[in-house]
């Protein structure tokens, strides 16, 4: 058994120092700035913050109000097609409807077309995770181990591409815009690519590597609610097919609220539409495929412009105004308390 005293320092040996090194950092001698919280600095901070937030908020609200926007609800105007789509056995039958509207003034600049859904909840946790990110990167994975169930395989074992509830419920109405010019109907040219983020097309979504896209998806089948396989989403542009299809990418970016809108198309600024949409009569031709009656939903098509602050959403401006108002009111309350206490102090000193 070792002697306990062997661990103690012997006579003549220096005890190890537990003091930190004599450096500016360890001795806490680094130069530092410590604000002096006087009444002048506190009040000036609150009032300057309030003025700044109010100024920014007012600018954002004015900017959002300057956006030109037209929203058309076509749920009731396409009621016949809606009734047809409620019967799942009619999935292969086409149904078209038209919605007329008039622009009283020109819409200048870039014009964006959105589709909007109301009462469609994408924020349910089971719905949000119902996807396979590895599959969407073009990898050969076993989707049975993913969260795509029950939209993974068919009864015969054929895997779905893409799998999951998000992909299966993809919005698939087709919307075309026509312009009535001197009793002649002109189709407005719309851009279906370039609407998604660069990171989506190059990082988050990729097609399987193959000499032919149809062979890359051989052995797979479309989701149950789809009318086309994933490699034929855009029959006019083969570069806009598969997992890198713009419409598919935008739909896979789920919304946090039950009422939302997604970018559908951009107006191509050529010919009569070089400056935007001229005033006149227009018609939306809609191929109705997406049923909404079962969840008591509504469908909209929106024409909108953008400004330096974005679209017509005033939420950010309102948030700045509320924050600025709160900071300013807090400054006035502190000022009142300070003046009241100072009067009491002067009274007792007398």
């Amino acid at each position: 058994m070792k002697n306990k005293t062997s661990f103690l320092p012997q006579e003549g040996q220096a005890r190890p120092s537990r003091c930190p090194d004599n450096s500016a950092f360890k001795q806490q001698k680094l130069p530092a700035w410590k604000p002096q919280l006087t009444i002048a600095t506190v009040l000036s901070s609150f009032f300057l913050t309030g003025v700044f937030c109010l100024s920014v908020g007012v600018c954002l609200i004015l900017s959002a109000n300057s956006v030109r926007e037209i929203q058309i609800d076509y749920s009731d105007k396409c009621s016949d097609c809606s009734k047809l789509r409620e019967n799942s056995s009619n999935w292969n039958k086409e149904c078209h409807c038209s919605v007329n509207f008039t622009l009283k003034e020109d819409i200048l600049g870039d014009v964006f077309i959105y589709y909007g859904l109301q009462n469609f909840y994408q924020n349910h946790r089971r719905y949000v995770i119902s996807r396979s990110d590895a599959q969407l990167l073009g990898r050969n994975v076993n989707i049975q181990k993913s969260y795509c169930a029950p939209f993974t395989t068919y009864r015969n074992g054929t895997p779905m591409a893409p799998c999951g509830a998000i992909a299966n419920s993809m919005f698939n109405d087709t919307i075309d815009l026509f312009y009535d010019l001197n009793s002649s109907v002109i189709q407005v040219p719309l851009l279906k690519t370039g609407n998604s983020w660069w990171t989506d097309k190059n990082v988050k979504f990729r097609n399987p590597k193959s000499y032919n896209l149809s062979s890359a998806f051989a052995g797979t089948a479309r989701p149950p609610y789809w009318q086309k396989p994933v490699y034929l989403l855009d029959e006019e542009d083969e570069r806009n097919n598969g997992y890198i299809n713009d419409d598919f990418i935008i739909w896979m970016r789920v919304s946090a609220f039950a009422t939302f809108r997604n970018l559908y198309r951009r107006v191509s600024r050529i010919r009569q539409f070089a400056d935007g949409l001229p005033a006149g009569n227009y018609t939306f031709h809609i191929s109705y495929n997406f049923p909404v009656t079962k969840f008591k939903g509504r469908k909209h098509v929106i024409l909108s412009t953008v400004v330096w602050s974005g679209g017509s959403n005033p939420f950010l401006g309102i948030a700045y105004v509320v924050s600025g108002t709160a900071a300013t009111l807090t400054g006035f309350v502190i000022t009142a308390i300070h003046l009241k206490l100072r009067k009491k102090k002067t009274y007792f000193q007398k």
Side-chain angles (χ1 to χ4, degrees):
M1 179 176 180
K2 293 185 178 180
N3 189 357
K4 295 182 180 179
T5 60
S6 62
F7 296 100
L8 300 176
Q10 303 296 326
E11 293 185 4
Q13 294 181 355
R15 287 177 175 271
S17 176
R18 295 184 179 181
C19 297
D21 297 338
N22 189 22
S23 62
F25 177 76
K26 293 187 176 181
Q27 294 296 333
Q28 300 183 13
K29 295 181 180 180
L30 291 174
W33 175 76
K34 183 178 180 180
Q36 299 295 327
L37 298 179
T38 63
I39 188 64
T41 56
V42 171
L43 288 179
S44 60
S45 299
F46 274 102
F47 284 120
L48 288 176
T49 302
V51 171
F52 172 77
C53 290
L54 286 173
S55 302
V56 175
V58 170
C59 291
L60 289 174
I61 291 175
L62 292 176
S63 176
N65 291 337
S66 66
V67 174
R68 293 287 309 280
E69 181 175 300
I70 297 175
Q71 182 169 309
I72 300 173
D73 188 330
Y74 66 95
S75 304
D76 296 331
K77 297 179 180 180
C78 298
S79 57
D80 293 339
C81 291
S82 178
K83 294 178 182 178
L84 178 71
R85 285 288 171 255
E86 290 308 317
N87 188 347
S88 59
S89 62
N90 297 326
W91 66 270
N92 59 344
K93 297 181 180 179
E94 295 185 359
C95 190
H96 303 273
C97 59
S98 300
V99 179
N100 301 319
F101 67 98
T102 301
L103 290 182
K104 297 181 180 180
E105 298 179 357
D106 297 344
I107 300 182
L108 302 178
D110 294 328
V111 182
F112 299 83
I113 300 179
Y114 299 83
Y115 62 85
L117 291 177
Q118 183 177 341
N119 207 37
F120 188 94
Y121 289 84
Q122 289 188 311
N123 54 5
H124 193 282
R125 181 180 179 274
R126 190 68 189 88
Y127 181 88
V128 172
I129 65 175
S130 184
R131 59 189 291 165
S132 173
D133 291 321
Q135 183 194 46
L136 298 177
L137 284 172
R139 299 173 184 171
N140 187 12
V141 295
N142 182 9
I143 59 175
Q144 293 284 6
K145 298 180 180 180
S146 66
Y147 294 102
C148 289
F151 302 103
T152 51
T153 60
Y154 287 92
R155 293 182 179 179
N156 59 4
T158 305
M160 300 180 189
C163 70
I166 306 177
N168 184 58
S169 61
M170 176 180 168
F171 183 86
N172 57 351
D173 281 2
T174 302
I175 305 172
D176 294 315
L177 181 60
F178 292 86
Y179 174 49
D180 187 0
L181 177 63
N182 298 327
S183 300
S184 61
V185 178
I186 301 175
Q187 184 171 4
V188 180
L190 303 178
L191 300 174
K192 61 177 70 175
T193 58
N195 300 324
S196 59
W197 299 344
W198 182 90
T199 52
D200 287 337
K201 281 249 183 181
N202 296 273
V203 179
K204 296 178 64 176
F205 296 86
R206 294 177 184 173
N207 283 328
K209 294 182 179 179
S210 177
Y211 68 93
N212 188 289
L213 197 57
S214 60
S215 62
F217 288 98
T220 64
R222 58 177 177 79
Y225 289 175
W226 284 28
Q227 296 174 323
K228 301 178 182 178
V230 66
Y231 54 88
L232 290 179
L233 288 178
D234 188 351
E235 299 180 5
E236 298 177 358
D237 187 356
E238 61 180 8
R239 297 171 299 177
N240 190 37
N241 273 316
Y243 297 146
I244 60 173
N245 176 265
D246 275 53
D247 294 335
F248 174 71
I249 289 175
I250 292 173
W251 177 258
M252 294 298 291
R253 193 184 307 134
V254 297
S255 174
F257 301 99
T259 299
F260 62 93
R261 64 177 63 179
N262 284 335
L263 180 59
Y264 181 69
R265 297 289 184 265
R266 293 175 293 128
V267 175
S268 179
R269 299 178 63 176
I270 58 175
R271 300 192 299 273
Q272 297 94 340
F273 313 99
D275 298 325
L277 290 180
N281 297 322
Y282 289 85
T283 302
F284 277 118
H285 286 185
I286 300 169
S287 178
Y288 198 105
N289 300 306
F290 194 85
V292 295
T293 306
K294 288 185 177 180
F295 57 87
K296 299 179 181 179
R298 310 287 297 180
K299 293 194 291 187
H300 305 82
V301 58
I302 303 110
L303 287 173
S304 178
T305 60
V306 294
V307 291
W308 62 271
S309 61
S312 62
N313 190 352
F315 174 79
L316 186 59
I318 294 174
Y320 267 103
V321 170
V322 171
S323 301
T325 303
T328 305
L329 291 177
T330 304
F332 281 117
V333 171
I334 294 176
T335 302
I337 295 173
H338 171 69
L339 293 176
K340 185 176 181 180
L341 293 178
R342 188 174 65 175
K343 288 181 180 180
K344 286 185 178 181
K345 184 177 180 181
T346 304
Y347 174 78
F348 284 116
Q349 285 178 350
K350 291 181 179 180

